[in-house]
Amino acid sequence: MKPLLATLRGWRQPVPPVWLMRQAGRYLPEYRALRAEKGGFLALATDPEAAAEVTVQPIRRFGFDGAILFSDILMVPAALGQTLTFGVGEGPALSPPLVDHALETLTANPGFLDPVYETVRRVAAALPAETTFLGFAGSPWTVATYMVAGRGSRDQSETRRFAYADPVRFAAIVDAIVESTVAYLSAQIEAGVEAVQLFDSWAGSLAPAQFERWVIAPNAAIVSALHARYPHVPVIGFPKGAGGKLPAYARETGVDAVGVDETVDPHWAATHLPADMPVQGNLDPLALIAGRETLESAVSNVLEAFADRPHIFNLGHGILQDTPIAHVERLLALVRSAR
Ligand code: CP3
């Protein structure tokens, strides 16, 4: 079986499979060239031929064990009826923001996602036999922070206030995201992805009771719906910033594997996460930029911590734009020659 898929099913590999979050993107010159040609991120993400090419670029260059679909977590809000734009140097925007516009005023546009499924079919046909194909979506809490505020924010304060002030209306938004995420991931699976990841980039901003309600519960709903339909498709949960709440997340959501960010000591994670659960992570993206001995010792620390369980080598968060290509090559050599 493909090494990454086997690991996700719970079989430890002698050499851990590797892929990097955000591996298809701006640190690659071939990505920047294609994006310039297509005129921007959204034009690229909704053009199946180009998006398939971008998905495969890092596989061709580095031979990662996993390919991640080139798309974005904010495609779901666009399918729910918000207008998605990526201004140059500004980050994404969604309008109208739900902080002052009712969800019911939006007109859903599920067809917005059709090009993504076509991208999946093309990539599935193009990948090497040993490469696992990963689909993804954002987790409801993280997606809701963008839908409510209409943009990214430093501490998600608007959305946290909204969730306290009007939990009924906020729950309706989260429920709509859950439903549309299940449909979105199901269609990705039908089109050819072999495992899926739920990105919860802002899971770290919630107090414990809110974390239970807005992170654990909606992710558990998504996982159980997917497992009922596709029992053989592993789900990776990545609650960035969850820290001490990671073990509860791992036990209570039903995810098959858990992603760990770089702020967590991998030895602590190895001890506190369920014994046989596959773990993904957690090299500091800045150690990858630093290179040299910093990179070497950080890589061996992660490898050593997770040596006794199924482990997928990855960063603790997305690869940064100024990461030297040579450091990515060095990382792969270090991981693959370690045992
Ligand atoms: O991992 C991959 O290579 C696959 C594609 C992917 C993208 N975004 C492409 C992208 C994935 C998995 C994402 C996830 C995503 N998108 C998250 C969760 C993970 C994380 O990084 O926390 C979030 C919060 C978003 C929302 C988003 N998309 C933001 C905040 C931004 C702007 C900031 C940035 O990194 O540029 C994006 C744009 C985006 N999504 C780019 C890419 C390659 C950059 C667009 C460009 O080319 O300029």
Side-chain angles (χ1 to χ4, degrees):
M1 199 193 290
K2 307 179 180 201
L4 173 49
L5 196 55
T7 308
L8 287 171
R9 298 222 168 113
W11 293 306
R12 195 184 77 81
Q13 305 296 300
V15 173
V18 196
W19 70 281
L20 303 181
M21 290 186 277
R22 295 292 194 96
Q23 66 188 20
R26 286 172 299 196
Y27 72 111
L28 289 178
E30 58 270 37
Y31 169 82
R32 295 194 299 266
L34 195 54
R35 189 185 66 158
E37 187 190 316
K38 293 290 164 185
F41 173 77
L42 208 49
L44 200 52
T46 52
D47 174 336
E49 192 186 350
E53 166 60 18
V54 171
T55 305
V56 178
Q57 280 174 349
I59 310 307
R60 210 181 280 137
R61 190 187 263 273
F62 301 113
F64 289 122
D65 294 282
I68 181 149
L69 169 66
F70 184 74
S71 180
D72 198 83
I73 67 164
L74 301 181
M75 302 298 267
V76 163
L80 286 168
Q82 284 180 307
T83 301
L84 171 62
T85 49
F86 286 86
V88 180
E90 285 169 21
L94 290 168
S95 67
L98 297 185
V99 68
D100 50 18
H101 281 78
L103 181 66
E104 304 77 59
T105 63
L106 302 180
T107 309
N109 177 19
F112 187 81
L113 299 172
D114 289 347
V116 179
Y117 309 138
E118 178 56 22
T119 304
V120 173
R121 285 188 283 273
R122 287 174 186 239
V123 173
L127 284 178
E130 66 279 10
T131 313
T132 299
F133 188 12
L134 305 167
F136 75 93
S139 286
W141 164 252
T142 289
V143 172
T145 65
Y146 289 92
M147 291 187 74
V148 168
R151 56 185 164 73
S153 63
R154 185 183 303 224
D155 60 1
Q156 298 78 51
S157 160
E158 258 168 309
T159 311
R160 290 190 289 134
R161 287 165 192 263
F162 186 104
Y164 277 122
D166 197 344
V168 172
R169 244 181 90 206
F170 189 65
I173 295 172
V174 166
D175 289 348
I177 300 170
V178 167
E179 191 187 325
S180 123
T181 302
V182 169
Y184 183 44
L185 292 174
S186 297
Q188 289 182 31
I189 293 166
E190 303 276 347
V193 306
E194 299 166 295
V196 296
Q197 175 156 322
L198 290 162
F199 283 89
D200 220 341
S201 306
W202 304 123
S205 60
L206 291 173
Q210 299 294 94
F211 184 86
E212 282 286 333
R213 185 161 185 190
W214 307 122
V215 171
I216 292 187
N219 281 299
I222 293 171
V223 173
S224 86
L226 291 176
H227 279 164
R229 289 187 201 174
Y230 310 103
H232 57 288
V233 176
V235 181
I236 309 167
F238 176 51
K240 184 175 175 309
K245 305 186 214 71
L246 268 171
Y249 176 95
R251 283 192 311 269
E252 295 171 25
T253 54
V255 292
D256 300 278
V258 66
V260 175
D261 72 65
E262 73 277 8
T263 65
V264 175
D265 178 351
H267 294 274
W268 179 89
T271 316
H272 289 87
L273 291 171
D276 298 323
M277 184 177 261
V279 169
Q280 176 173 284
N282 75 337
L283 182 77
D284 188 343
L286 290 173
L288 181 57
I289 289 179
R292 299 171 182 267
E293 301 79 33
T294 307
L295 177 60
E296 282 164 29
S297 65
V299 168
S300 29
N301 187 40
V302 171
L303 287 172
E304 190 194 294
F306 297 129
D308 294 335
R309 64 160 76 224
H311 176 214
I312 296 155
F313 198 98
N314 204 319
L315 300 174
H317 194 197
I319 188 168
L320 295 159
Q321 194 176 340
D322 56 337
T323 305
I325 302 276
H327 293 195
V328 179
E329 289 166 348
R330 179 82 184 118
L331 166 67
L332 278 160
L334 287 168
V335 174
R336 290 182 170 161
S337 67
R339 292 199 184 86

